[in-house]
Short mmCIF file of all heavy atoms in Angstrom, two decimals:
data_model
loop_
_atom_site.label_atom_id
_atom_site.label_comp_id
_atom_site.label_asym_id
_atom_site.label_seq_id
_atom_site.Cartn_x
_atom_site.Cartn_y
_atom_site.Cartn_z
N GLU A 90 108.40 96.05 117.94
CA GLU A 90 108.03 97.09 118.80
C GLU A 90 108.91 98.26 118.73
O GLU A 90 108.63 99.46 118.74
CB GLU A 90 107.90 96.50 120.25
CG GLU A 90 107.28 97.69 121.23
CD GLU A 90 107.10 97.16 122.67
OE1 GLU A 90 107.36 95.89 122.82
OE2 GLU A 90 106.74 97.94 123.49
N ASN A 94 108.28 102.10 117.54
CA ASN A 94 108.58 103.29 118.39
C ASN A 94 109.48 104.25 117.50
O ASN A 94 109.25 105.52 117.63
CB ASN A 94 109.29 102.86 119.67
CG ASN A 94 108.49 102.19 120.52
OD1 ASN A 94 107.22 102.40 120.60
ND2 ASN A 94 108.95 101.43 121.51
N TRP A 154 123.48 110.49 119.50
CA TRP A 154 122.46 109.94 120.44
C TRP A 154 122.90 109.81 121.85
O TRP A 154 122.29 110.14 122.79
CB TRP A 154 122.00 108.64 119.84
CG TRP A 154 120.95 108.03 120.80
CD1 TRP A 154 121.20 106.95 121.65
CD2 TRP A 154 119.66 108.38 121.01
NE1 TRP A 154 120.03 106.68 122.36
CE2 TRP A 154 119.16 107.60 121.93
CE3 TRP A 154 118.93 109.53 120.45
CZ2 TRP A 154 117.81 107.80 122.42
CZ3 TRP A 154 117.55 109.68 120.90
CH2 TRP A 154 116.92 108.84 121.87
N VAL A 158 121.36 111.52 125.16
CA VAL A 158 120.84 110.82 126.36
C VAL A 158 121.64 111.29 127.56
O VAL A 158 120.97 111.36 128.76
CB VAL A 158 121.06 109.32 126.11
CG1 VAL A 158 120.77 108.46 127.35
CG2 VAL A 158 120.20 108.73 125.00
N ARG A 165 117.63 118.02 128.54
CA ARG A 165 117.26 118.09 127.23
C ARG A 165 116.23 119.19 127.00
O ARG A 165 115.12 119.09 127.51
CB ARG A 165 116.69 116.69 126.81
CG ARG A 165 117.82 115.68 126.63
CD ARG A 165 117.17 114.35 126.03
NE ARG A 165 116.29 113.69 127.01
CZ ARG A 165 116.79 112.69 127.85
NH1 ARG A 165 117.98 112.39 127.95
NH2 ARG A 165 115.79 112.03 128.60
N ALA A 177 106.00 111.99 125.05
CA ALA A 177 106.20 110.51 125.38
C ALA A 177 106.52 110.37 126.86
O ALA A 177 107.33 111.09 127.39
CB ALA A 177 107.30 109.97 124.49
N ASP A 178 105.94 109.38 127.45
CA ASP A 178 106.14 109.09 128.81
C ASP A 178 107.43 108.26 128.95
O ASP A 178 107.29 107.09 128.98
CB ASP A 178 104.89 108.43 129.36
CG ASP A 178 105.19 108.08 130.98
OD1 ASP A 178 106.05 108.75 131.59
OD2 ASP A 178 104.39 107.35 131.45
N ALA A 179 108.65 108.87 128.92
CA ALA A 179 109.80 108.20 128.81
C ALA A 179 110.79 108.58 129.85
O ALA A 179 110.75 109.70 130.40
CB ALA A 179 110.49 108.33 127.47
N THR A 180 111.60 107.71 130.31
CA THR A 180 112.65 107.90 131.31
C THR A 180 113.98 107.60 130.74
O THR A 180 114.01 106.96 129.58
CB THR A 180 112.50 107.15 132.59
OG1 THR A 180 112.72 105.77 132.28
CG2 THR A 180 111.02 107.25 133.21
N ASP A 181 115.06 108.01 131.32
CA ASP A 181 116.39 107.73 130.76
C ASP A 181 116.58 106.23 130.71
O ASP A 181 117.63 105.72 130.11
CB ASP A 181 117.45 108.48 131.58
CG ASP A 181 117.51 109.99 131.20
OD1 ASP A 181 116.80 110.32 130.24
OD2 ASP A 181 118.01 110.73 131.99
N ASP A 182 115.86 105.39 131.49
CA ASP A 182 115.99 103.94 131.39
C ASP A 182 115.29 103.40 130.34
O ASP A 182 115.41 102.24 130.02
CB ASP A 182 115.52 103.36 132.73
CG ASP A 182 116.39 103.73 133.90
OD1 ASP A 182 117.56 104.00 133.64
OD2 ASP A 182 115.84 103.91 134.97
N ASP A 183 114.48 104.11 129.62
CA ASP A 183 113.68 103.60 128.55
C ASP A 183 114.18 104.38 127.28
O ASP A 183 113.34 105.24 126.73
CB ASP A 183 112.16 103.83 128.84
CG ASP A 183 111.23 103.18 127.73
OD1 ASP A 183 111.74 102.35 127.03
OD2 ASP A 183 110.10 103.36 127.81
N LYS A 184 115.33 104.16 126.74
CA LYS A 184 115.98 104.96 125.75
C LYS A 184 115.17 105.03 124.39
O LYS A 184 115.22 105.91 123.61
CB LYS A 184 117.37 104.63 125.52
CG LYS A 184 118.33 104.84 126.77
CD LYS A 184 119.57 104.47 126.46
CE LYS A 184 120.61 104.88 127.65
NZ LYS A 184 120.29 104.28 128.97
N GLU A 185 114.45 103.89 124.06
CA GLU A 185 113.78 103.82 122.77
C GLU A 185 112.61 104.83 122.76
O GLU A 185 112.20 105.17 121.68
CB GLU A 185 113.20 102.39 122.66
CG GLU A 185 114.30 101.41 122.35
CD GLU A 185 113.74 100.00 122.10
OE1 GLU A 185 112.48 99.85 122.24
OE2 GLU A 185 114.53 99.06 121.68
N LYS A 186 112.01 105.36 123.93
CA LYS A 186 110.96 106.26 123.92
C LYS A 186 111.52 107.69 124.24
O LYS A 186 110.65 108.66 124.39
CB LYS A 186 110.02 105.82 124.86
CG LYS A 186 109.39 104.48 124.50
CD LYS A 186 108.18 104.05 125.52
CE LYS A 186 107.55 102.77 125.10
NZ LYS A 186 106.48 102.42 126.02
N ILE A 187 112.73 107.81 124.41
CA ILE A 187 113.29 109.27 124.58
C ILE A 187 113.03 110.05 123.21
O ILE A 187 113.42 109.48 122.17
CB ILE A 187 114.79 109.26 124.88
CG1 ILE A 187 114.99 108.63 126.33
CG2 ILE A 187 115.34 110.68 124.81
CD1 ILE A 187 116.45 108.56 126.75
N PRO A 188 112.54 111.22 123.29
CA PRO A 188 112.26 112.02 121.97
C PRO A 188 113.61 112.06 121.18
O PRO A 188 114.74 112.28 121.73
CB PRO A 188 111.81 113.43 122.57
CG PRO A 188 111.28 113.08 123.80
CD PRO A 188 112.05 111.93 124.52
N ALA A 226 117.17 106.53 118.78
CA ALA A 226 118.03 105.50 119.50
C ALA A 226 118.56 104.51 118.50
O ALA A 226 119.81 104.24 118.65
CB ALA A 226 117.06 104.76 120.45
#
Side-chain angles (χ1 to χ4, degrees):
E90 182 178 359
N94 288 335
W154 178 255
V158 171
R165 288 190 289 271
D178 183 16
T180 68
D181 289 341
D182 294 328
D183 190 9
K184 293 182 174 58
E185 289 181 353
K186 294 184 179 179
I187 292 175

